[in-house]
Amino acid sequence: FSNPSTFSTIFCGFSISESVPVFIPTQIATVTSILTVDPLNSVIINDVNVQLNISHSYVSDLNVLLTSPNGTQVQLFSNQCGSNNDINAVFDDAGIPLICSNNPAISGTLIPAQALSAFNGQVSQGVWTLTVSDTFDLDGGAINSWGINFCSPTPPLDVTKNEFSDLMIYPN
């Protein structure tokens, strides 16, 4: 027999906001949308990715911020891409730098303006808030959809406690 070993797995789950669409008025305004993670789906965060779909002309008018249930704030992007329209992107610390496109202006898997790793170690349960500030009037839009992919390490199995004895294979 060899010495017992442990291993761990990573669990990832996607939560989507049900408080959409949220309309962005044609004057200077700040709007919010929430996403509630219930206790049954709660994890200790090891990685966060944010999926975001916003319709808006002049994306450079927008500042977008994500706030966790305990108040930690991370800016996803701010005042970028000039007069180009719309956002359909995933923000991920492992993404690529934001490069403006034509339509949508912001797309792909992108590195946010501030690291999402600021949420690591927090519990995902509670109300998450997406805040969109439109800093210039005359055009509006909508938060069409958004969601968060939470990843967390699961506790390692302890073979010394025989937690998975049914899976053990014994030599002849």
Side-chain angles (χ1 to χ4, degrees):
F1 292 104
S2 64
N3 291 331
S5 300
T6 62
F7 67 93
S8 63
T9 58
I10 300 291
F11 165 80
C12 292
F14 187 70
S15 295
I16 191 162
S17 173
E18 295 180 7
S19 72
V20 287
V22 174
F23 295 98
I24 303 168
T26 57
Q27 65 269 13
I28 295 172
T30 297
V31 298
T32 61
S33 176
I34 62 168
L35 181 155
T36 302
V37 177
D38 66 48
L40 296 175
N41 295 320
S42 183
V43 297
I44 295 174
I45 298 167
N46 187 48
D47 185 38
V48 171
N49 300 326
V50 180
Q51 184 177 356
L52 181 62
N53 183 296
I54 296 177
S55 298
H56 194 280
S57 56
Y58 287 87
V59 171
S60 64
D61 294 353
L62 302 180
N63 296 312
V64 178
L65 186 72
L66 180 64
T67 306
S68 71
N70 79 350
T72 302
Q73 296 184 327
V74 169
Q75 187 173 61
L76 300 180
F77 70 93
S78 179
N79 304 109
Q80 292 174 273
C81 298
S83 63
N84 295 345
N85 302 335
D86 304 332
I87 297 135
N88 189 8
V90 173
F91 291 89
D92 181 348
D93 288 345
I96 62 170
L98 191 154
I99 298 173
C100 300
S101 301
N102 284 331
N103 192 13
I106 298 175
S107 64
T109 301
L110 309 170
I111 299 169
Q114 295 177 321
L116 293 165
S117 62
F119 301 125
N120 290 0
Q122 296 182 27
V123 176
S124 63
Q125 178 185 346
V127 177
W128 291 75
T129 305
L130 183 75
T131 303
V132 177
S133 298
D134 188 344
T135 61
F136 196 82
D137 58 6
L138 302 178
D139 55 349
I143 303 170
N144 300 313
S145 64
W146 71 282
I148 304 175
N149 190 41
F150 297 103
C151 292
S152 174
T154 57
L157 295 173
D158 186 346
V159 297
T160 63
K161 293 181 182 173
N162 208 18
E163 290 179 1
F164 62 100
S165 61
D166 294 341
L167 300 176
M168 294 182 80
I169 300 173
Y170 298 95
N172 293 333

